[in-house]
Amino acid sequence: MKAIIATDEAAGTAGMKLTERPQPHASINDVIVAVYASGFVPTELSWPSTWTDRVGQRRTPSIPGHEFAGVVTALGYGTTGLSLGQRVFGLTDWYRDGTLAEYLAVEARNLAPLAGDVEYTVGASLPISGLTAWQALFQHGRLQAGQSVLVHGAAGAVGSIVTQLGREFGAYVIGTGRSADRQKSLEFGASEFVDLANDSLEDIGHVDLVIDVIGGEIQKRSAGLLRPWGTLVSVVGPVEARPTDGLAIDFVVESDRAQLVEIVQRVRDGRVRTNIGNISMLDNAVAAFNSPERRTGKTIIRVRA
């Protein structure tokens, strides 16, 4: 089968290439999925799980990509809840070969049904961004109606869904980003926008919750904006500056079928819009990942037409 592989950690996306790889087989509780569309997060090439297995052994060449949409083509022993020919989408295990390939072996529990009225490209754009947003707001941020939420990177793949979900659940959302992101952030539902290059972040006053996808100095300054007992949730690793009278949480997104169902239903009924940027075919994926142009949404790779 055709697949994108990564072999050189130092080379980043420039070290990826399209090649032929053996088609995977279904282990216990696995399914084989014919991948129709795949998402890709460039930072995963810096994750240890891309290069080593759970016991620290090298596993290169590895196939990157962890979010996808496709059709079930085979069921492993013990698999329940799914059927051959079913449309599915989901988030794969970090330590296994990923979704930038024509076929994928994945645990059935990591998949959710994808309705026929949702395009594969849309399904593939949701798992990491949608689950990260949902878990940041509700599991870790414990958002309540009427609270104020500061969303960094509000025009990005994660931030745009955080913004929409926060607005739906009754929060006052303040988005941040570059000046070019202002209109897009407001269209996704932010009530205010802070241009991090030209506006003063501190002018917004105090907030109940910060969702941070940037880190660094912006994260440190954001910790000081929290009201007592507020929460800073980081999706970019350990928190560097903890709020004086609040909570600081960092987490790694986890697959959750029920949450995927909640998210895709919101896409179907129009409560959530996806934030897809460039769509490329698998044959052109490496060039798309190495494009010098700024990404304005999630890059999706169409594996099958």
Side-chain angles (χ1 to χ4, degrees), residues 80-128:
T80 59
L82 296 172
S83 58
L84 293 176
Q86 184 173 6
R87 299 173 96 247
V88 292
F89 75 118
L91 180 64
T92 69
D93 189 302
W94 308 122
Y95 290 90
R96 299 178 69 175
D97 276 344
T99 61
L100 290 172
E102 292 181 307
Y103 291 93
L104 166 74
V106 57
E107 285 190 75
R109 63 176 179 154
N110 291 336
L111 305 180
L114 184 68
D117 58 354
V118 180
E119 294 182 3
Y120 290 114
T121 51
V122 172
S125 74
L126 291 173
I128 288 181

Side-chain angles (χ1 to χ4, degrees), residues 24 34 74 86-87 91 101 113 121 173 181 186 193 201 204 211 228 240 253 258 270-271 275 283 285 297:
Q86 184 173 6
R87 299 173 96 247
L91 180 64
T121 51
V173 179
D181 298 330
L186 296 175
F193 180 82
L201 181 62
I204 68 172
I211 307 297
E240 299 180 46
V253 63
R271 284 177 288 171
N275 190 359
D283 288 349

Side-chain angles (χ1 to χ4, degrees), residues 10 24 60 99 118 137 162 191 199 264 267:
T60 55
T99 61
V118 180
L137 280 174
V162 172
S191 296
D199 300 333
V264 78
V267 172

Side-chain angles (χ1 to χ4, degrees), residues 55-68:
V55 296
Q57 299 296 314
R58 296 289 291 179
R59 67 176 192 89
T60 55
S62 63
I63 300 174
H66 292 285
E67 51 191 340
F68 71 98

